[in-house]
């Protein structure tokens, strides 16, 4: 069951995601919290900020990604931030609960991997010296969307 999906400029609330997947029938919850780090293999200096942009259809597509990961006896909550995030800022939260831990872990990983590969959200990486570069910028054509 998909209980929460969002692409938003508002700060992500980890506890709200955990609460959303909580249910008396579940015995395991797995969560992934992706935060902005101060380094990147492609960066020549210290990363100080990521600026996230999203296609207007990103939230709908996030729902579709979650639906493809959905299975019986799991509850899924996943959100991705847009806007400027400083180091330590929460960029993505995925929480999955299930009767058994294996399903919770497996589905949580699948959700995160699909979001990273398929969601039309792009990031501009800003370094301490002011240098900025778009990172992981896939082709819009790969998403099947238009500008």
């Amino acid at each position: 069951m998909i209980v929460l999906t969002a692409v938003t400029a508002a700060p992500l609330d980890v506890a709200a995601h955990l609460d959303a997947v909580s249910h008396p029938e579940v015995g395991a919850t797995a969560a992934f919290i992706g935060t902005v780090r101060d380094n990147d293999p492609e960066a020549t200096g210290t990363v100080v900020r990521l600026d996230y942009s999203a296609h207007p259809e990103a939230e709908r597509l996030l729902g579709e990604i979650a639906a493809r990961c959905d299975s019986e006896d799991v509850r899924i909550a996943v959100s991705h931030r847009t806007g400027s995030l400083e180091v330590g800022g929460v960029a993505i939260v995925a929480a999955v609960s299930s009767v058994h831990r294996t399903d919770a872990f497996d589905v949580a990983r699948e959700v995160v991997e699909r979001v990273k590969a398929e969601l039309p959200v792009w990031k501009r990486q800003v370094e301490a010296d002011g240098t900025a570069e778009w990172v992981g910028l896939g082709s819009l054509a790969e998403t099947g969307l238009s500008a």
Side-chain angles (χ1 to χ4, degrees):
M1 169 186 295
I2 312 305
V3 294
L4 171 67
T5 59
V7 175
T8 180
L12 300 182
D13 184 339
V14 174
H17 285 74
L18 295 174
D19 288 346
V21 299
S22 178
H23 193 275
E25 295 176 355
V26 302
T29 300
F32 175 83
I33 299 105
T35 58
V36 176
R37 63 180 185 267
D38 70 356
N39 63 87
D40 185 88
E42 303 294 321
T44 57
T46 302
V47 175
V48 295
R49 184 178 81 238
L50 294 178
D51 298 329
Y52 285 95
S53 299
H55 189 278
E57 294 292 318
E59 190 162 85
R60 178 184 62 79
L61 293 169
L62 182 59
E64 291 177 6
I65 290 167
R68 287 196 309 273
C69 298
D70 195 16
S71 63
E72 191 173 334
D73 298 327
V74 300
R75 297 171 66 83
I76 299 171
V78 59
S79 298
H80 202 295
R81 266 295 295 274
T82 58
S84 293
L85 282 77
E86 305 294 324
V87 171
V90 178
I92 180 174
V93 175
V96 176
S97 65
S98 180
V99 174
H100 301 289
R101 68 181 177 275
T102 302
D103 293 335
F105 280 126
D106 291 348
V107 173
R109 180 181 183 95
E110 182 182 2
V111 167
V112 172
E113 295 299 334
R114 285 183 184 242
V115 166
K116 296 294 282 181
E118 301 172 24
L119 189 66
V121 170
W122 305 281
K123 63 184 176 183
R124 182 175 172 261
Q125 181 170 273
V126 181
E127 298 180 30
D129 67 0
T131 305
E133 180 178 350
W134 288 96
V135 179
L137 194 60
S139 167
L140 187 59
E142 292 172 4
T143 67
L145 299 171
S146 60

